[in-house]
Amino acid sequence: MKLTIIGTGYVGLPTGVGFAELGNEVVCVDKIAAKIDKLNRGELTLFEDGLDELFRKNVEKGSIRFTLDMENAVKGADVVMLAVGTPPHPVTKEADLQYIYAAAEELAQYLDGYTVVATKSTVPVGTGDEVEAIIRKTNPIADFDVVSLPEFLREGFAIHDFFNPDRIVIGANSEKARSVMLKLYEPFKEKSEFLMVKRRSSETIKYASNAFLAMKIHYINEMADFCEQAGADILEVAKGMGMDSRIGKKFLNPGPGYGGSCFPKDTNAMAQMGKKYGANLNLIETTIAKNDERKAKMGQRVIEAIKNHPEGKIAVLGLAFKGGTDDCRESPAVDIVKEMIKHSDNICAYDPKAIENAKLILGDSIKYANSIEEACKDADVMVVLTEWEDFRNINLAEIKKIMSKAKIIDLRNMLNAEDAKVNGFEYQCIGAKYSA
Ligand SMILES: NC(=O)c1ccc[n+]([C@@H]2O[C@H](COP(=O)([O-])OP(=O)(O)OC[C@H]3O[C@@H](n4cnc5c(N)ncnc54)[C@H](O)[C@@H]3O)[C@@H](O)[C@H]2O)c1
């Protein structure tokens, strides 16, 4: 099928590459010239495990191309997917739909023949109606349907998740649109669950899912605080909870609060939708407020730990909002480093993939290292802020030899507490108390 994807970011690019790999003819369009130029030079604009190889392969085959030209991209497409950003409005915290509306107006001019416009971006309930109205107003003779196609991929696993989605939710109000979407998703028929629902239900499923996951993270963080006071160990508690199939093992890792480009904005947007429709969403509202509090509290915990080292070097491990990505949007690690800067001008950070993006926010207020060892060399304190798997395997005996003092603050519970203790570190983690 001929597929156009508008917005070549963390969703649009892996999705475009994935559909190209499945034999579709894909055009990705963006409005940022530097992005399109880079992609046309054969260079990726973001990090996703496994993306590089598939990208090269499909560019070489000619099954995917990149352009700034909306007309060229949209004409003749069977499906046009909207994958533009829906960031939080700085004042109202609602999803800012300006990019969706602008893209809808632009694409509408070039629709020819029956086309399904599928919204992959996360958009508030009712946005499909708005998009439909904009297209109809801009191009009254266009033959089209607007479908909600929420995206559930996880950054860091985007390629894996593209090919192995748990579910494919299609919110379509017309049979014709439904059959086009089923044809596009035919290769997933055997391995994924399909759910055909009303467009408004589909739009709600995405927010309801993200808000639920954010609440789950908040819940385990609350339990971690409880464990610290009660002398229990959150890792043991989470393990025991996760063995219950009704609860599940995932999203039970305590940390410094959720962040990233989705959970903060989607929980806020959901809370605003609750207000708009007069529905009480207390649980979500509490989660938002308590998560903000937690990030500040965790920042304070780190400050307490480093304040006795005013001159000493502080090694920060991790800047991305989570492991497996170079994305630093709303990263708790970056927020905590911003607090740390107020108390230390000797911070050196390492992240396997996110340094370039972190530099755009933190600039030269800290130093950056090319390895764990470089960050930790002569450091008084090691602060672990992102759950990169590499950090789990740090050889503490060796690291101790190059650090000047033996102190670790592990806000992701990545290191082994016993190992830290055996190697003589003063070790603080989340949800349990250890004394050296
Ligand atoms: N990042 C994720 O893990 C994830 C997961 C599920 C859903 N989502 C949702 O998907 C959407 C996209 O998220 P993202 O992280 O890929 O955003 P992103 O910021 O990485 O990418 C969006 C892209 O859209 C482009 N764009 C904006 N307006 C445009 C226009 N009129 N024409 C062409 N291009 C335009 C931007 O230049 C940018 O490159 C959001 O609604 C987000 O909530 C994201």
Side-chain angles (χ1 to χ4, degrees), residues 5-14 29-32 35 46 48 67-68 70 82-87 98-100 102-104 106 120-123 150-156 158 206-207 210 261-262 265-266 321-322 327 329:
I5 300 190
I6 303 180
T8 313
Y10 283 89
V11 167
L13 184 57
V29 54
D30 207 285
K31 58 177 185 167
I32 299 177
K35 240 182 211 190
L46 53 90
E48 266 299 339
T67 182
L68 290 166
M70 185 73 85
L82 288 169
V84 299
T86 48
Q98 60 167 310
Y99 303 105
I100 290 280
E106 212 185 331
K120 263 213 167 293
S121 302
T122 303
V123 292
E151 179 54 65
F152 300 104
L153 65 74
R154 298 162 300 165
E155 275 181 39
K206 176 63 192 175
Y207 280 107
N210 270 5
S261 68
C262 289
K265 93 174 165 64
D266 292 348
F321 84 89
K322 65 172 187 174
D327 197 346
R329 289 178 287 182

Side-chain angles (χ1 to χ4, degrees), residues 364-430:
D364 57 8
S365 56
I366 60 168
K367 295 185 200 76
Y368 301 92
N370 291 314
S371 65
I372 296 171
E373 291 72 20
E374 190 188 333
C376 291
K377 184 153 176 20
D378 301 323
D380 281 10
V381 186
M382 174 205 294
V383 183
V384 183
L385 295 179
T386 306
E387 71 275 47
W388 280 100
E389 279 308 308
D390 301 10
F391 301 160
R392 212 181 284 288
N393 304 321
I394 292 174
N395 183 329
L396 290 179
E398 292 301 315
I399 281 289
K400 177 140 183 267
K401 290 182 197 156
I402 60 169
M403 284 180 69
S404 66
K405 297 205 167 58
K407 192 168 188 172
I408 298 174
I409 318 295
D410 182 359
L411 294 191
R412 295 287 186 175
N413 289 7
M414 293 303 287
L415 305 175
N416 183 295
E418 275 312 308
D419 193 20
K421 198 169 154 183
V422 165
N423 283 292
F425 279 94
E426 185 187 327
Y427 179 72
Q428 266 190 47
C429 62
I430 286 182

Side-chain angles (χ1 to χ4, degrees), residues 331-346:
S331 168
V334 169
D335 286 348
I336 290 171
V337 171
K338 279 186 191 163
E339 282 305 305
M340 292 167 69
I341 290 165
K342 296 178 192 160
H343 301 264
S344 167
D345 56 9
N346 195 0

Side-chain angles (χ1 to χ4, degrees), residues 156-200:
F157 299 91
I159 291 298
H160 172 273
D161 290 353
F162 175 84
F163 288 104
N164 306 281
D166 289 338
R167 81 282 214 196
I168 290 154
V169 175
I170 298 172
N173 294 343
S174 101
E175 200 45 57
K176 194 171 176 188
R178 237 170 263 144
S179 65
V180 170
M181 296 319 289
L182 283 177
K183 190 169 164 210
L184 182 66
Y185 279 93
E186 170 87 26
F188 299 91
K189 223 171 64 187
E190 300 304 323
K191 55 179 167 186
S192 301
E193 285 200 73
F194 279 67
L195 183 65
M196 300 289 175
V197 290
K198 292 188 195 114
R199 198 164 61 197
R200 282 185 173 237

Side-chain angles (χ1 to χ4, degrees), residues 25-55:
E25 206 180 301
V26 179
V27 188
C28 289
V29 54
D30 207 285
K31 58 177 185 167
I32 299 177
K35 240 182 211 190
I36 295 299
D37 288 349
K38 202 167 176 191
L39 291 162
N40 279 329
R41 286 198 306 271
E43 293 168 41
L44 280 178
T45 45
L46 53 90
F47 171 74
E48 266 299 339
D49 196 25
L51 179 60
D52 200 23
E53 194 189 324
L54 283 187
F55 166 74

Side-chain angles (χ1 to χ4, degrees), residues 1-3 15-27 58 61-64 78-79 162 183-185 187-188:
M1 294 177 87
K2 285 190 173 177
L3 172 64
T15 303
V17 169
F19 275 115
E21 176 69 11
L22 291 174
N24 299 284
E25 206 180 301
V26 179
V27 188
N58 284 284
K61 267 195 342 202
S63 43
I64 188 165
D78 298 304
V79 177
F162 175 84
K183 190 169 164 210
L184 182 66
Y185 279 93
F188 299 91

Side-chain angles (χ1 to χ4, degrees), residues 34-315:
K35 240 182 211 190
I36 295 299
D37 288 349
K38 202 167 176 191
L39 291 162
N40 279 329
R41 286 198 306 271
E43 293 168 41
L44 280 178
T45 45
L46 53 90
F47 171 74
E48 266 299 339
D49 196 25
L51 179 60
D52 200 23
E53 194 189 324
L54 283 187
F55 166 74
R56 279 172 210 296
K57 184 177 153 195
N58 284 284
V59 167
E60 266 168 39
K61 267 195 342 202
S63 43
I64 188 165
R65 60 189 178 85
F66 303 93
T67 182
L68 290 166
D69 183 348
M70 185 73 85
E71 178 174 1
N72 177 279
V74 169
K75 276 195 166 160
D78 298 304
V79 177
V80 176
M81 280 184 191
L82 288 169
V84 299
T86 48
H89 187 280
V91 180
T92 65
K93 304 271 176 91
E94 287 170 306
D96 182 351
L97 295 174
Q98 60 167 310
Y99 303 105
I100 290 280
Y101 293 158
E105 201 175 326
E106 212 185 331
L107 75 89
Q109 304 164 51
Y110 309 116
L111 293 176
D112 58 349
Y114 178 72
T115 314
V116 173
V117 177
T119 308
K120 263 213 167 293
S121 302
T122 303
V123 292
V125 68
T127 304
D129 303 358
E130 302 280 338
V131 168
E132 196 173 296
I134 290 171
I135 297 176
R136 205 169 297 291
K137 188 168 168 221
T138 313
N139 184 352
I141 58 162
D143 182 13
F144 72 100
D145 274 306
V146 174
V147 160
S148 162
L149 187 68
E151 179 54 65
F152 300 104
L153 65 74
R154 298 162 300 165
E155 275 181 39
F157 299 91
I159 291 298
H160 172 273
D161 290 353
F162 175 84
F163 288 104
N164 306 281
D166 289 338
R167 81 282 214 196
I168 290 154
V169 175
I170 298 172
N173 294 343
S174 101
E175 200 45 57
K176 194 171 176 188
R178 237 170 263 144
S179 65
V180 170
M181 296 319 289
L182 283 177
K183 190 169 164 210
L184 182 66
Y185 279 93
E186 170 87 26
F188 299 91
K189 223 171 64 187
E190 300 304 323
K191 55 179 167 186
S192 301
E193 285 200 73
F194 279 67
L195 183 65
M196 300 289 175
V197 290
K198 292 188 195 114
R199 198 164 61 197
R200 282 185 173 237
S201 305
S202 171
E203 289 167 338
T204 306
I205 285 169
K206 176 63 192 175
Y207 280 107
S209 301
N210 270 5
F212 184 83
L213 292 173
M215 289 193 298
K216 195 170 178 190
I217 294 173
H218 172 59
Y219 182 80
I220 202 67
N221 284 339
E222 264 194 358
M223 283 303 122
D225 287 350
F226 174 82
C227 287
E228 279 173 22
Q229 300 307 321
D233 181 332
I234 191 64
L235 294 183
E236 293 174 352
V237 172
K239 199 169 179 184
M241 286 170 63
M243 284 172 174
D244 183 332
S245 61
R246 294 169 304 175
I247 296 175
K249 291 182 172 44
K250 293 181 180 162
F251 278 75
L252 290 181
N253 303 324
Y258 61 77
S261 68
C262 289
F263 288 173
K265 93 174 165 64
D266 292 348
T267 44
N268 273 303
M270 184 80 221
Q272 294 311 316
M273 274 189 272
K275 291 201 177 97
K276 179 175 169 184
Y277 290 101
N280 186 334
L281 297 178
N282 272 344
L283 269 177
I284 296 175
E285 283 174 10
T286 305
T287 298
I288 295 166
K290 292 291 169 189
N291 190 64
D292 289 347
E293 249 177 50
R294 181 170 187 83
K295 282 201 259 184
K297 205 170 98 184
M298 288 297 136
Q300 208 43 51
R301 186 179 283 200
V302 175
I303 304 307
E304 283 300 313
I306 67 170
K307 75 178 180 197
N308 297 330
H309 308 265
E311 309 289 323
K313 179 180 172 187
I314 313 295

